[in-house]
C-alpha cells in the first residue's frame, strides 16, 4: 500500500511565495511510484488540498484529512515545506503531534526555539557557541541610539527576531539610520535583534539525518553582490553560492564540528541549515533554519547534490525517517 503524503506549503508570513516554490519542487521530485502525494496549501483564510487540475478541496482540521470525490483521504505523513509561521515556529509541529501524524521537520520545541533568534543564541552561548554582540528591543520599548551603538558598534545589523528570508533586515552604517531600520524590522515582528557586524567569510552548513546518521553536508560559501546576503542576494541572483566553500581544511573541520554539535545539543530532527561568519578564524553563529529552501537552486539541495544525494533521495529519506518514528 502506498503511503499518502501531504506536502504542506504557503503559510502566514512574507515567505509564503518562496514556500510555494519549495513545496512544488518537493511534489515534483517525491517518487509517485512509492507515495501518493498531495499538495496542501495552508493560508490564514483557507487550508486546501490542490489537485493537479487546480481544484481545491478543504482540509478537515479536526483530523487533517481531505475528502475528494466522496473519498476521505487520511495522510500517513506530512512533508513540511512552510517557511516562517506556522510551519517553522512550532505551531504546525504541535498540531500534527497532537494528531499523531508523522512529519519531516523537527519537534515543536526545537522549531519554536530556532525560529526565535534571540532565544536560540541565548540557549547556545553556554555551550561555547560564538555569536555576534547583540542588543534586544521589543515593540513599544523606548530606545536610545547612542546606547545601542555603544554596545554593538557600526556598522550593525537590525533584524526582525522571528522572520526568515532576510525580511525585515537592514545593515546600518550611520547612527541616523537606526530608527528607520528598527521600524522596518518591526513591520515583520514585534521583537528586534540588533547585532554587531562580523567581517569575514560567510558559510552555510546543512546538517540532516540521512539514513539514520547525523550527516554534515558540503559547506556553501556565500558571496553577496549586495552589502549583505539580503532577499535580492538570496532569491534574485545577486550572490554567488559556492559549494564546496573555499575555506581551509581547518576552518571546514571547525565549522562542521560546531554545526553537528548544535544539531545534537538541540536534539534536532529533519533538515537544518546553520549560517556562520568566520571572525578571526572562528565561526560565529548567525541563525539556524529548520525548514530551509528546497528548490533546485536552494543551498541545501546544492549541498546534497555535491554529496551525491539526489532530490528524490533527499525528500524520500525525510519521509521514511518520519514514518519510522511512528
Amino acid at each position: 500500500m502506498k503511503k499518502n503524503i501531504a506536502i504542506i506549503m504557503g503559510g502566514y508570513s512574507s515567505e509564503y511565495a518562496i514556500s510555494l516554490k519549495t513545496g512544488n519542487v518537493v511534489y515534483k521530485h517525491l517518487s509517485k511510484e512509492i507515495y501518493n502525494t498531495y499538495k496542501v496549501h495552508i493560508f490564514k483564510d483557507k487550508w486546501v488540498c490542490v489537485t493537479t487540475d487546480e481544484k481545491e478541496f478543504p482540509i478537515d482540521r479536526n483530523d487533517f484529512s481531505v475528502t475528494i470525490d466522496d473519498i476521505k483521504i487520511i495522510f500517513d505523513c506530512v512533508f513540511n515545506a512552510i517557511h516562517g509561521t506556522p510551519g517553522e515556529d512550532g505551531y504546525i509541529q504541535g498540531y500534527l503531534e497532537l494528531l499523531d501524524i508523522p512529519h519531516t521537520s523537527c519537534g515543536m520545541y526545537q522549531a519554536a526555539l530556532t525560529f526565535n533568534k534571540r532565544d536560540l543564541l541565548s540557549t547556545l552561548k553556554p555551550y561555547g557557541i560564538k555569536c555576534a554582540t547583540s542588543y534586544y528591543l521589543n515593540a513599544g520599548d523606548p530606545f536610545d541610539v547612542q546606547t545601542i551603538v555603544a554596545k554593538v558598534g557600526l556598522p550593525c545589523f537590525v533584524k526582525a527576531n522571528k522572520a526568515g528570508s532576510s525580511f525585515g533586515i537592514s545593515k546600518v552604517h550611520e547612527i541616523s539610520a537606526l530608527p528607520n531600520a528598527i521600524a522596518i524590522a518591526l513591520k515583520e515582528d514585534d521583537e528586534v535583534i540588533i547585532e554587531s557586524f562580523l567581517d569575514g567569510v560567510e558559510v552555510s552548513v546543512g546538517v540532516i539525518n540521512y539514513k539514520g546518521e547525523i550527516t554534515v553536508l558540503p559547506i556553501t560559501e556565500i558571496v553577496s553582490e549586495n552589502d549583505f546576503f539580503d532577499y535580492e542576494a538570496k532569491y534574485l541572483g545577486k550572490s554567488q553560492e559556492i559549494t564546496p566553500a573555499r575555506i581551509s581544511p581547518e576552518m571546514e573541520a571547525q565549522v562542521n564540528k560546531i554545526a553537528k554539535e548544535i544539531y545534537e545539543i538541540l536534539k534536532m530532527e529533519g533538515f537544518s541549515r546553520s549560517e556562520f561568519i568566520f571572525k578571526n578564524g572562528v565561526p560565529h553563529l548567525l541563525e539556524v533554519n529548520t525548514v530551509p529552501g528546497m528548490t533546485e537552486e536552494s543551498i541545501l539541495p546544492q549541498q546534497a547534490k555535491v554529496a551525491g544525494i539526489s532530490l528524490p533521495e533527499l525528500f524520500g529519506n525525510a519521509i521514511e525517517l518520519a514514518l519510522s518514528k511512528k
Side-chain angles (χ1 to χ4, degrees), residues 30-293:
L30 204 53
S31 173
K32 307 296 184 290
E33 295 176 7
I34 302 173
Y35 310 110
N36 296 317
T37 54
Y38 300 85
K39 290 192 279 189
V40 174
H41 290 186
I42 291 183
F43 296 110
K44 279 185 178 175
D45 59 340
K46 63 181 179 181
W47 289 23
V48 293
C49 183
V50 182
T51 58
T52 51
D53 55 1
E54 298 301 315
K55 288 183 180 174
E56 296 183 351
F57 295 86
I59 294 290
D60 183 344
R61 301 190 200 187
N62 294 297
D63 60 0
F64 198 69
S65 66
V66 65
T67 300
I68 300 175
D69 298 332
D70 297 324
I71 298 170
K72 182 172 181 173
I73 296 163
I74 303 289
F75 296 113
D76 298 294
C77 186
V78 171
F79 193 107
N80 181 12
I82 297 177
H83 311 308
T85 189
E88 201 167 2
D89 55 5
Y91 286 99
I92 279 291
Q93 289 85 349
Y95 166 75
L96 294 172
E97 284 159 22
L98 284 171
L99 293 175
D100 199 27
I101 300 174
H103 59 85
T104 58
S105 49
C106 60
M108 177 185 72
Y109 172 73
Q110 286 80 3
L113 177 65
T114 51
F115 196 67
N116 187 311
K117 298 180 184 76
R118 297 182 344 189
D119 289 356
L120 172 69
L121 298 174
S122 298
T123 298
L124 291 173
K125 277 180 187 176
Y127 291 92
I129 307 297
K130 304 291 186 187
C131 53
T133 301
S134 55
Y135 186 99
Y136 300 163
L137 196 64
N138 293 336
D141 286 352
F143 63 87
D144 176 67
V145 291
Q146 298 288 350
T147 303
I148 294 170
V149 170
K151 184 168 187 188
V152 302
L154 286 173
C156 65
F157 281 98
V158 179
K159 303 176 182 180
N161 186 43
K162 301 187 296 291
S165 296
S166 295
F167 286 109
I169 183 170
S170 304
K171 187 176 180 181
V172 174
H173 296 269
E174 304 288 340
I175 195 167
S176 59
L178 254 179
N180 186 55
I182 291 167
I184 290 169
L186 287 170
K187 287 179 183 176
E188 292 293 329
D189 187 31
D190 61 358
E191 297 175 352
V192 175
I193 179 170
I194 304 170
E195 293 182 322
S196 60
F197 171 59
L198 300 173
D199 191 10
V201 177
E202 182 170 353
V203 296
S204 185
V205 188
V207 183
I208 62 173
N209 184 329
Y210 189 66
K211 299 183 177 178
E213 295 284 332
I214 297 175
T215 303
V216 182
L217 297 171
I219 300 167
T220 299
E221 179 184 350
I222 308 296
V223 183
S224 177
E225 293 176 19
N226 293 352
D227 199 18
F228 64 97
F229 195 44
D230 60 3
Y231 183 90
E232 272 194 342
K234 281 185 179 177
Y235 300 109
L236 303 179
K238 298 282 188 176
S239 70
Q240 284 181 282
E241 296 161 4
I242 302 161
T243 311
R246 301 167 301 179
I247 56 178
S248 70
E250 293 77 18
M251 293 167 75
E252 180 182 352
Q254 193 179 11
V255 78
N256 276 359
K257 180 174 179 287
I258 293 169
K260 188 175 181 183
E261 278 177 0
I262 290 169
Y263 195 95
E264 292 170 336
I265 288 166
L266 299 178
K267 299 180 180 176
M268 288 287 297
E269 295 175 342
F271 302 101
S272 83
R273 203 190 73 225
S274 300
E275 317 300 330
F276 297 89
I277 288 180
F278 282 91
K279 181 185 178 184
N280 300 325
V282 178
H284 285 58
L285 178 69
L286 301 179
E287 63 180 1
V288 175
N289 302 286
T290 60
V291 186

